[in-house]
Amino acid sequence: MIKRYGIFLIGLTFMSLGIVLIIKSALGTSPISSVPYVLSLALPFTVGQFNFAVSSLMFIL
């Protein structure tokens, strides 16, 4: 069970890194990462932190 959560957290980290690189290269965002991107513009957290939180919330739900 711990291994599954570890793989999940590593996957979310790489996904967040990819999204941030796409945003920084001015290619735009995908629909799933637009919510974390907008929240990062309004609040003092990063896109990666919000993406991690939103993805975790969707996983829990």
Side-chain angles (χ1 to χ4, degrees):
M1 192 71 160
I2 293 174
K3 181 181 176 183
R4 294 176 96 186
Y5 284 117
I7 292 172
F8 173 70
L9 292 175
I10 290 170
L12 284 178
T13 302
F14 279 112
M15 184 178 69
S16 298
L17 178 64
I19 291 168
V20 169
L21 290 175
I22 289 171
I23 291 170
K24 290 294 182 181
S25 66
L27 293 175
T29 61
S30 65
I32 195 72
S33 62
S34 62
V35 172
Y37 180 64
V38 171
L39 288 174
S40 73
L41 295 176
L43 298 171
F45 298 104
T46 65
V47 174
Q49 291 169 333
F50 275 121
N51 193 20
F52 184 82
V54 169
S55 296
S56 297
L57 180 66
M58 287 191 288
F59 177 74
I60 291 169
L61 295 175

